[in-house]
Amino acid sequence: MTPVFPFTAIVGQEALGEALLACAVDPRIGGVLVRGERGTAKSTAVRALAPLLGDVDVVAGCRFNADPREDGACPDGPHDDAEVVRRPVALVELPVGATADRLLGSLDLDRALRDGVAAFEPGLLAAAHRGILYADEVNLLPDHLVDVLLDAAAMGRAHVEREAISVSHAARFLLVGTMNPEEGELRPQLLDRFGLSVAVAASPDPALRVEVVRRRLAFDADPEALRARFAADEAALAQRVAAARERLARIALDERTLLLIAGICARLGVDGMRADIVCAQAARALAALDGDDAVGEDHVRRAARLALAHRRRRGPLEAPGLDDSELDQALDEARGDDPDPGPDDDGSGGGGNGSSHNGAPEHAAADPAPAAGGEPRGLRAAADAAPHPHAPAPERNDAPGAAGHAPALTLAGVGHGAAGRRSRATGAEGQPVDSRPPTAAVTDLAVAASLRAAAARRALTDGPPLARADLREHVRAGREGNLVVFCVDASGSMGARRRMAAVKSAVLGLLLDAYRRRDRVALVTFRGSGAQVVLAPTGSVERAAAVLGALATGGATPLAAGLHRAAELVTLERRRDPERRALVLAVTDGRATGEGGLDAARAAAAELARTADGVVVFDGEEGRVRLGLAAEIARAAGAPLLPLAALHRTATAPRRAA
């Protein structure tokens, strides 16, 4: 058995530890989402939690980890005279490539082939019952899989209605998901389903970092010695969690505290009522861990930090978060202690989003809420920042306006890439639309079609209940996410008459569209003497929006270099992910400078068309006198040409990028 790093030996991640312990005391909170960069002890903390939860009694041989005290609802039951065994709490890990069959369970193929019986083979939800289910890189899982996972965690039961199978079983587990925001965020509706969230980062304190390294090296050199060193602390914490579980039902939560929780949630502008409920549950769990008999204001504040941060998303391109000063202000207003109410504030907290006219935190003026079009908070401030003192004089940085409305752009043909919402695709994540005999090993069994084929065969001749020749596999259809490469002209001609502000607004609209369609995005810019990849392919459109906001303009227009660089990027990414198709969106006025001029740009556009799966050119030229050079680039690429104005109206039909 692999040694586990002690939970009490983890340094500098107090909020993470508190969130995990709160959910260990009360799993009804709904689990923990841990957001953070690589190397911040996310996985270490989750794996270290399991030994603190003690042992559980289970029915020997039960595939669903049934509690001997449960009723006869277990599919393997009844367990009236079954042997009871005691074992440690299970830690079940959900791999990124898991399927719905692996998570929920599926037909037992061995029994189906041998006996002709449609028997159920339990999945990971059954294995995690009464334990911990750990989903690493949860943001990379398909949405429907995350939805199934969160439904089971919320209801405490898994319902499986698949072909020839109808099973319901208990699935009560502590759900922990970890993710790196650089790879993209969870959808807001899925983000809200996690009870608590914690943002973790490496400490800037050198002394703390040294202690982290010292303990890790000690563990690698002699795991048992480090575990022995912290054995007493681990035992004390395990006892504290067990006592908190016993105390939980007796923790008082009075009317005043409930009103305080509701007031904080209302003033911070969270959606729905789940935040209020989870905040109350977490506050009770924290009080139980502290050994208190009632929930106090400190418990409420700590619970709010964990329960509300991921529910305050202001726009699709803004990462979730909650500033301590905002929380303190909301807490003051909720209890009627606002020290300096403004002329329009009667103390009732009518500000709604936690920021009042007077007494607002300093960052409120420099970090405004986003515009209705979805511009992320802080983007305008970043874009208006002063240029570097050594930058060339012509360089400027125009702030974008409201995000445009992107037309529906799709790739022609049918792909096989990762699940998304842009282009047509066939793949494991699509919906079954037909069945067929397998061309190789069966990986996606169509149970009903296979049984029908077996029944038809047996009506004509004798034979086994189910033979290999009867097997059928699904034919699926759905949508895929694409790699969307933005190739943006940032030359001086685009900066004239603040045209770059319109370009940034247009690209923001396209980024919002990429966010909704589950695309990966990259940003290539060209100006001056060459082109560069300012954002490598990522699932984080928030990072793309931040880079776009800081994009300056000025200098010559090396259009050919920009198109070449986009083609090189597509080629490199195709080696890494051959199934993901690429759509290049080029934004330029077509005024090419440098060696070869427009002819070189035409040749580069033709090369890009051969490399990418689709190209769309957006014409950045404005004014009465137009040269029409962007149209030349579009013709060379065989691509549709759209004006930037197309991003300020809703397209009535999808456009295909051939």
Side-chain angles (χ1 to χ4, degrees), residues 28-29 118 120 125 132 202 227 255 264 281 301 339 383 395 397 428 435 453 457 481 537 616-617 625:
R28 295 173 303 173
I29 289 172
F120 180 64
L125 291 181
I132 300 173
R227 289 171 58 82
E255 192 70 16
I264 292 172
Q281 291 171 325
R301 188 184 189 282
E395 185 175 286
N397 192 337
S435 62
R457 174 183 53 79
V616 176
V617 177
V625 180

Side-chain angles (χ1 to χ4, degrees), residues 97-457:
T99 63
D101 283 345
R102 185 74 184 95
L103 181 63
L104 288 166
S106 62
L107 181 72
D108 188 334
L109 280 179
D110 290 337
R111 292 192 62 186
L113 291 172
R114 185 180 66 247
D115 306 325
V117 176
F120 180 64
E121 180 68 26
L124 295 177
L125 291 181
H129 178 44
R130 305 173 66 211
I132 300 173
L133 183 57
Y134 172 39
D136 193 15
E137 303 291 355
V138 66
N139 53 324
L140 301 183
L141 293 172
D143 279 355
H144 76 277
L145 210 60
V146 179
D147 211 9
V148 167
L149 189 65
L150 295 173
D151 275 342
M155 296 173 14
R157 293 196 71 81
H159 299 280
V160 186
E161 299 289 344
R162 312 294 293 271
E163 296 164 322
I165 297 172
S166 179
V167 174
S168 176
H169 64 85
R172 297 190 301 275
F173 49 82
L174 194 166
L175 174 64
V176 184
T178 58
M179 58 175 281
N180 183 348
E182 293 181 357
E183 293 296 328
E185 287 286 353
L186 277 172
R187 290 295 179 264
Q189 67 272 25
L190 299 178
L191 198 63
D192 179 59
R193 299 287 295 278
F194 278 94
L196 309 179
S197 78
V198 181
V200 297
S203 172
D205 182 357
L208 205 61
R209 297 174 74 99
V210 166
E211 185 60 24
V212 170
V213 174
R214 184 182 292 116
R215 294 187 184 186
R216 184 71 231 186
L217 293 177
F219 181 77
D220 291 341
D222 191 345
E224 293 307 322
L226 186 74
R227 289 171 58 82
R229 173 183 163 191
F230 287 92
D233 293 338
E234 292 282 288
L237 184 56
Q239 185 175 3
R240 179 183 166 202
V241 171
R245 285 176 165 178
E246 293 292 330
R247 186 183 300 112
L248 182 65
R250 302 190 299 272
I251 300 297
L253 183 61
D254 59 31
E255 192 70 16
R256 177 186 173 279
T257 306
L258 278 174
L259 286 171
L260 183 65
I261 292 171
I264 292 172
C265 292
R267 284 160 177 78
L268 289 176
V270 298
D271 294 329
M273 295 299 300
R274 185 177 282 118
D276 304 61
I277 296 169
V278 170
C279 193
Q281 291 171 325
R284 292 186 68 193
L286 293 175
L289 279 167
D290 290 349
D292 296 327
D293 297 324
V295 175
E297 188 175 297
D298 177 64
H299 303 129
V300 171
R301 188 184 189 282
R302 287 154 55 195
R305 288 189 63 193
L306 300 172
L308 306 184
H310 59 304
R311 295 184 166 93
R312 299 192 62 240
R313 182 182 289 270
R314 289 295 186 240
L317 298 183
E318 181 190 3
L322 176 60
D323 189 89
D324 281 348
S325 60
E326 292 177 299
L327 177 57
D328 289 339
Q329 182 179 343
L331 184 62
D332 288 342
E333 293 178 357
R335 67 175 175 233
D337 288 344
D338 189 357
D340 186 19
D344 297 325
D345 185 358
D346 59 3
S348 62
N353 65 357
S355 60
S356 59
H357 295 291
N358 291 328
E362 291 183 1
H363 66 81
D367 196 16
E375 178 185 338
R377 183 175 61 185
L379 186 57
R380 181 179 297 275
D384 286 334
H388 191 281
H390 301 297
E395 185 175 286
R396 58 184 296 167
N397 192 337
D398 295 324
H405 297 283
L409 301 172
T410 63
L411 289 173
V414 180
H416 307 277
R421 299 192 181 111
R422 182 173 295 277
S423 305
R424 291 180 58 219
T426 60
E429 306 305 334
Q431 294 298 315
V433 296
D434 201 353
S435 62
R436 64 188 175 196
T439 56
V442 180
T443 58
D444 187 13
L445 182 68
V447 178
S450 300
L451 295 178
R452 283 195 298 268
R457 174 183 53 79

